[in-house]
Amino acid sequence: MDARIVKLESIEKRYDEINDLLIDEEVIKDQKKVTKLSKEQASLREAYLAYQKYKEIENDIEGAKELLHSDDHELKAMAKEELSLKEEEREKLLVKIDELLLPRDPEDDYDCIVEIRGAAGGDEGNIFAGDLYRMYTHYAENLGFKTQVMEASESEAGGYALISFLVKGTGAYRHFKFESGAHRVQRVPKTETQGRIHTSTATVLVLPDVEDADIEIPDSDLEIETHRASGAGGQHINKTDSAVRIVHKPTGITVNCQDGRSQMANRETALRIIRARVYEEYERQRKEKEGEIRKSKIGTGDRSEKIRTYNYPQNRVSDHRIGLTINQLDRIIDGKLDDIVNALLANEEKEKLLNDHVS
């Protein structure tokens, strides 16, 4: 049997199993399990429906083939035409099915957390971090996604030493995952009197916003403490222990949140961030332990990897991973990132096809 059909039958079987589980009384009592199963079913739905369509077309083809043996010449001609149309329809559907059966990043549909830090270049690096934040929020708006600031440390000269924010919307992680890495800007800073071009950097880290069902972190692994927030932030921030610091003891990952209006808000934000960071770290360790070879040349997590340069004098943006150069920096910095992101997604799909054929 065709390997493609074997995969589709397996998907159909699992899809139907989940249908039965979602009406099971014991399962319904466990909301985490319901959420996890619903997500799994949603990820299978497109391939499942494509297979139902494929079976329907196959039946039509068999029916048309039988009519080819008819003595009725008019009926025979109609069957021949029907057969040709259905075989063409089947070929188009099979192309789509092959794409649907490619290995899929299970986190693609998640919301995501984007963290931007000013890096090399002092004030200019922080100002550039602010530019990237505005670029991403405009891009998110264009996609119909919502954004919410989680942490922010403003720079006196403008921009941010650090800003992290949540992007909410189906497919958010898929659209932002390739932004992780070092972003380099070449331009004349406002403070430069000689008109010389400076090079500065900001780093970006994009994490899938995982849920409790995706990773279990025992309370005993967390050290949670409250303290007074530092810096400007209104009277309440200086008089109460509203800031929350959480340390994940097994990994040493630390999160400090102080920008929420209450200790509860900061605690919730800190827990959300620590969950995403710990999940990412455990995934990294798992892949390292299994000796998994990176199939994609495009990184999605290494903050030190220089991925893109924004050259203001020449109005040019270059993505170094795929050799893409666009002379429309003004549009891109305004949030019109589609050309870059679509090229990165197309490259990912091409590599998956190559790897699928090799394996």
Side-chain angles (χ1 to χ4, degrees):
M1 190 185 286
D2 187 339
R4 180 197 286 137
I5 302 303
V6 172
K7 285 182 184 178
L8 288 168
E9 286 182 348
S10 174
I11 287 169
E12 181 182 53
K13 183 181 177 184
R14 180 57 183 160
Y15 190 91
D16 291 337
E17 277 176 4
I18 295 172
N19 263 343
D20 293 336
L21 287 168
L22 287 173
I23 57 173
D24 184 279
E25 288 184 11
E26 288 304 310
V27 173
I28 291 169
K29 291 175 187 175
D30 187 342
Q31 195 53 48
K32 282 186 182 178
K33 195 164 188 178
V34 169
T35 301
K36 196 169 185 179
L37 286 168
S38 297
K39 278 191 172 181
E40 184 186 350
Q41 191 178 53
S43 71
L44 299 174
R45 186 168 290 119
E46 209 174 346
Y48 171 84
L49 293 174
Y51 185 41
Q52 305 315 302
K53 182 67 178 174
Y54 173 81
K55 289 193 290 183
E56 185 185 309
I57 292 171
E58 281 289 287
N59 284 334
D60 290 343
I61 287 173
E62 287 306 309
K65 282 181 177 177
E66 285 178 17
L67 290 175
L68 287 177
H69 303 295
S70 171
D71 294 330
D72 186 323
H73 294 294
E74 191 175 335
L75 194 61
K76 199 171 182 178
M78 286 172 64
K80 194 173 182 181
E81 188 179 347
E82 172 78 358
L83 183 62
S84 177
L85 287 170
K86 288 297 175 181
E87 285 180 341
E88 187 181 338
E89 191 178 348
R90 180 178 60 183
E91 287 311 304
K92 286 179 181 176
L93 182 60
L94 286 173
V95 171
K96 183 185 176 183
I97 284 172
D98 284 340
E99 290 174 4
L100 291 171
L101 292 179
L102 285 173
R104 181 176 168 80
D105 188 339
E107 288 120 22
D108 270 1
D109 291 333
Y110 282 59
D111 296 342
C112 66
I113 295 169
V114 182
E115 180 185 287
I116 309 169
R117 293 178 185 269
D123 288 343
E124 179 62 13
N126 292 338
I127 291 168
F128 180 48
D131 294 338
L132 290 178
Y133 168 63
R134 282 185 292 277
M135 177 180 79
Y136 290 140
T137 52
H138 288 163
Y139 178 53
E141 285 169 15
N142 293 340
L143 292 169
F145 297 156
K146 303 289 184 186
T147 59
Q148 174 190 327
V149 173
M150 303 179 84
E151 290 181 275
S153 177
E154 293 184 17
S155 167
E156 288 183 13
Y160 300 92
L162 159 70
I163 183 162
S164 63
F165 59 99
L166 179 68
V167 183
K168 300 176 75 172
T170 303
Y173 183 69
R174 179 172 183 264
H175 285 87
F176 280 84
K177 64 182 177 180
F178 297 123
E179 297 306 302
S180 287
H183 294 244
R184 182 171 59 179
V185 63
Q186 294 172 329
R187 64 185 175 191
V188 179
K190 292 175 184 175
T191 53
E192 172 58 58
T193 55
Q194 305 292 321
R196 291 173 298 191
I197 295 171
H198 286 226
T199 298
S200 307
T201 60
T203 60
V204 177
L205 181 64
V206 180
L207 303 168
D209 180 36
V210 296
E211 298 176 355
D212 288 336
D214 299 304
I215 180 169
E216 197 166 324
I217 302 177
D219 291 342
S220 57
D221 282 358
L222 300 176
E223 186 177 292
I224 303 175
E225 60 180 47
T226 59
H227 61 96
R228 290 189 183 177
S230 58
Q235 288 186 348
H236 80 285
I237 214 165
N238 297 317
K239 289 184 177 179
T240 62
D241 290 345
S242 60
V244 176
R245 180 183 294 111
I246 300 180
V247 179
H248 181 250
K249 290 183 279 188
T251 60
I253 293 170
T254 303
V255 172
N256 187 67
C257 288
Q258 64 177 40
D259 295 295
R261 298 298 297 176
S262 68
Q263 187 185 112
M264 188 179 290
N266 283 325
R267 181 188 174 97
E268 188 180 320
T269 298
L271 282 169
R272 196 165 193 165
I273 295 172
I274 205 105
R275 191 167 59 220
R277 290 185 184 168
V278 170
Y279 176 84
E280 184 213 27
E281 174 59 19
Y282 282 166
E283 279 294 288
R284 185 195 65 76
Q285 289 179 12
R286 180 187 64 79
K287 289 173 182 177
E288 200 173 80
K289 189 177 179 181
E290 293 173 1
E292 184 175 296
I293 299 168
R294 283 178 66 186
K295 290 183 178 178
S296 171
K297 294 176 185 174
I298 299 175
T300 57
D302 187 354
R303 198 197 287 275
S304 65
E305 181 187 7
K306 287 186 176 62
I307 64 164
R308 197 175 296 147
T309 296
Y310 304 74
N311 185 304
Y312 275 74
Q314 296 178 26
N315 195 36
R316 184 181 70 218
V317 176
S318 300
D319 194 290
H320 308 300
R321 296 163 296 180
I322 54 174
L324 176 69
T325 295
I326 298 175
N327 293 306
Q328 293 181 328
L329 183 150
D330 51 341
R331 289 183 69 255
I332 287 160
I333 208 71
D334 193 40
K336 295 176 176 67
L337 277 167
D338 298 288
D339 288 346
I340 294 176
V341 174
N342 289 341
L344 289 162
L345 286 168
N347 188 79
E348 178 189 50
E349 191 166 293
K350 187 173 92 174
E351 287 187 357
K352 281 180 180 177
L353 277 166
L354 285 171
N355 289 316
D356 196 50
H357 289 152
V358 168
S359 58

